Amino acid sequence: STSDIITNEAIADNLDANIFLGQEIIPYYVGQRLNSQIYSRVYQNIRNCNIVLDGLANDNTELGKTVKSASYAIRGVSYFELLKYYCLPVAGGVYPELGMPIVDYFDMEARPVRSSYRETVEYIESNLIKALELNSDDDLYIFTSDAVKFYLARLYFWTAQWNKAIEISEQLLSKYPILDRENYSQMVLGSRKFDNMIVRYKSGLVQDQYVVDRVYSSLRNRPVSIDFIDIFDQPQNDIRLQLSVNALRNPIKLFIGALRSEELLLIAAESYYYKGDNSKTVELLNLLRSKRINNYEPITINSIPQTSAKSPIVKDAMNRALTPLISLVINERRKELFMEGDRFMELKRLGSPEFWVSRNGLVYTTMEFMYTYPIPADDIILNKGIIQNPGYTQFVD
C-alpha cells in the first residue's frame, strides 16, 4: 500500500533526509520504524490463514481448493516478509542461524520459539509450492499461480539460490515481457495494470487517496538524493530519470506496488553474475536499458559505463568487492524500482551498510543491526524462549 512503500523509500538513501524543507509525515531514518506493527500485523494474516486451512482441510471442492491455494500463498508470503524484516540477511551465501517462530495451525496457546533460518526458508517454499499444486488462477483471489511463482523467484533470490531464481524468472519473463519506453511512461504516470504486471496494488477507497495526497505533499519537502541522480550514466536520454525527478529534485514518479517483469529481469541478471555468466548478465542489462534509454548503444563486458555516484554499498551479495558489472546491475535495479519500496531491503541484502542523516543538530545513524527489526517486547515477555535479534538486548529484555 501507499504507506508501506513510501515508508520504505523514506528510510533508505534515495531521498535526501539531510535537507529539511518543511513539515513531513514520513520518517527520516529507520530508528523511527523499529517499533512498527509489521510483526503483529503479519502474524494476524498467518493466524487467519491457519483458521481457513484447518477448517477446509477435508474440502476438495473447486471453491475449497481455490481458497486453500490462496491461504497457502498468503501464509508463505507472510513468512517471507517476516524473514526479510526480522531475520539477518544471507551473507556470502551462508544462512544465518535464526529464523522465525512457525505456527502452522490455529492454537491460541501455542508459544513456538524461533526455528532455524533454513527451516523457515523451507517452510515458505513448501507453502508456495502447495499453493501451486492446488493450481488456482482465479484473479479474484489475487495470488494466482504466476503471482506465487513470482514470490518463489523473490525467495530464491533473497536466499542466494541462484539457479532456481533464474529458472522461475525466465519462465515468467517469457509470459510477461518488459515494457518499451512509451508504455513505461504510461505505467509511471498512471495506476492501471499493464501487460508486464501480474499484480498491481490499487485502491479506490477515499481514505487511501487521502493518504496518497498527504504523502505526496510531504514528499515535496524531501528532495531526491544527488547520489541517486548521479547513477544515471546517460541522464539526458534515460526516461527513468526524467520521469522520476523534476528540476527541483522533487520525486515525481508515482509510487508503484506491483509484481512486474522488470524485477524478474534484474533478479535473473544478478543471479547469472553470481554463477559467473557475465555475458548473460550483459545481455539482460542491454535488453532493459534499450527499453529505457533513447538512442541506446549496447554495452559490452569491456565497456561498462562509469559514473561519479557514491553509494554506501561496497560489497555484493556474496560478500565480494564490487566489480563494474555488478555495480551496474545494482544501479539499474535502483533506477528501475525507485519509489517502489525496494531500496532499503537492497541495502540490507548487500551488506547492511551504515549511513547517517542530520536533523536539528543531531546525527541519526542507520547502523548495521537496525536493518533487522527487533522482535516486539510483548512477544518476548509472553514467550521467554524467543531469542531477540542482535543489537537490541540492551533495549528489549
Side-chain angles (χ1 to χ4, degrees):
S1 69
T2 308
S3 57
D4 291 327
I5 293 168
I6 298 301
T7 295
N8 278 351
E9 283 291 326
I11 61 177
D13 61 343
N14 281 338
L15 303 176
D16 192 346
N18 289 295
I19 301 176
F20 181 63
L21 301 176
Q23 183 179 8
E24 294 175 307
I25 62 169
I26 55 177
Y28 49 84
Y29 107 112
V30 68
Q32 298 167 285
R33 291 285 294 158
L34 296 180
N35 64 344
S36 71
Q37 300 301 309
I38 295 172
Y39 191 92
S40 60
R41 188 176 72 186
V42 175
Y43 267 113
Q44 288 170 17
N45 291 341
I46 292 168
R47 174 204 63 200
N48 294 341
C49 290
N50 288 341
I51 292 172
V52 172
L53 290 168
D54 290 350
L56 296 179
N58 298 316
D59 188 335
N60 293 314
T61 65
E62 288 305 310
L63 177 59
K65 290 179 181 178
T66 298
V67 174
K68 284 191 286 186
S69 176
S71 298
Y72 279 123
I74 294 170
R75 190 166 71 178
V77 169
S78 295
Y79 271 107
F80 178 52
E81 293 302 306
L82 290 171
L83 186 83
K84 290 195 301 178
Y85 279 101
Y86 294 96
C87 296
L88 294 172
V90 175
V94 178
Y95 284 3
E97 179 183 352
L98 293 173
M100 297 304 301
I102 293 176
V103 187
D104 62 354
Y105 59 92
F106 179 66
D107 181 357
M108 292 184 65
E109 302 302 321
R111 299 289 185 271
V113 297
R114 299 180 71 168
S115 65
S116 72
Y117 191 92
R118 183 171 297 279
E119 287 170 337
T120 303
V121 172
E122 291 172 351
Y123 185 70
I124 296 166
E125 182 182 32
S126 69
N127 273 269
L128 296 177
I129 289 174
K130 286 176 183 176
L132 286 178
E133 290 172 346
L134 290 166
N135 195 31
S136 171
D137 282 314
D138 188 337
D139 288 336
L140 177 65
Y141 292 85
I142 301 176
F143 288 91
T144 61
S145 296
D146 287 346
V148 172
K149 288 177 183 177
F150 199 112
Y151 270 99
L152 273 172
R154 282 179 166 176
L155 171 68
Y156 294 143
F157 184 64
W158 184 260
T159 56
Q161 300 181 66
W162 313 123
N163 287 329
K164 290 182 177 181
I166 290 169
E167 180 183 358
I168 294 185
S169 295
E170 292 190 332
Q171 182 185 136
L172 290 174
L173 279 168
S174 67
K175 190 173 180 180
Y176 301 90
I178 67 173
L179 293 184
D180 58 21
R181 285 187 292 273
E182 180 179 352
N183 284 305
Y184 175 82
S185 299
Q186 295 177 20
M187 181 194 77
V188 169
L189 297 174
S191 59
R192 71 177 174 88
K193 181 182 173 185
F194 282 75
D195 291 341
N196 66 327
M197 295 178 174
I198 298 172
V199 175
R200 180 167 188 165
Y201 167 80
K202 181 181 180 181
S203 174
L205 297 177
V206 173
Q207 57 265 40
D208 278 6
Q209 187 58 50
Y210 173 70
V211 171
V212 171
D213 292 342
R214 290 189 69 212
V215 163
Y216 276 102
S217 176
S218 180
L219 282 174
R220 285 196 289 270
N221 295 320
R222 182 72 62 86
V224 175
S225 167
I226 286 291
D227 291 338
F228 172 77
I229 295 172
D230 285 346
I231 65 174
F232 288 86
D233 53 280
Q234 297 189 42
Q236 302 303 318
N237 293 325
D238 198 320
I239 60 171
R240 291 172 296 188
L241 179 58
Q242 299 160 19
L243 296 171
S244 296
V245 189
N246 66 16
L248 298 176
R249 281 175 54 193
N250 299 133
I252 57 174
K253 177 181 174 182
L254 292 176
F255 82 92
I256 297 175
L259 307 180
R260 63 184 181 98
S261 55
E262 289 80 2
E263 181 182 344
L264 294 168
L265 181 147
L266 290 160
I267 285 174
E270 187 168 342
S271 298
Y272 272 118
Y273 174 82
Y274 296 128
K275 282 171 51 64
D277 193 343
N278 290 347
S279 61
K280 189 64 178 179
T281 298
V282 170
E283 176 187 331
L284 290 169
L285 291 179
N286 276 324
L287 174 59
L288 177 62
R289 285 164 60 88
S290 69
K291 306 290 186 181
R292 302 290 180 265
I293 300 174
N294 292 315
N295 303 316
Y296 182 67
E297 295 184 6
I299 62 171
T300 69
I301 191 65
N302 296 316
S303 63
I304 305 297
Q306 303 294 309
T307 71
S308 61
K310 297 179 181 179
S311 171
I313 296 173
V314 296
K315 293 186 178 180
D316 65 22
M318 297 304 290
N319 206 28
R320 301 178 303 210
L322 298 180
T323 64
L325 181 56
I326 192 60
S327 294
L328 181 62
V329 174
I330 294 167
N331 285 344
E332 288 299 316
R333 184 179 181 111
R334 190 177 181 186
K335 298 172 195 174
E336 187 70 24
L337 300 182
F338 175 67
M339 294 301 286
E340 300 187 33
D342 181 75
R343 178 63 176 176
F344 185 77
M345 285 300 168
E346 270 295 279
L347 293 172
K348 177 173 181 176
R349 187 177 67 87
L350 298 170
S352 303
E354 296 189 353
F355 64 98
W356 56 267
V357 299
S358 177
R359 276 298 174 93
N360 302 317
L362 300 175
V363 170
Y364 299 87
T365 302
T366 295
M367 292 182 278
E368 181 179 355
F369 76 89
M370 293 171 135
Y371 285 92
T372 302
Y373 286 17
I375 305 296
D378 289 347
D379 284 79
I380 290 180
I381 292 171
L382 186 65
N383 186 353
K384 295 294 186 182
I386 293 182
I387 300 173
Q388 181 58 272
N389 285 322
Y392 298 106
T393 52
Q394 64 267 45
F395 308 113
V396 181
D397 187 355

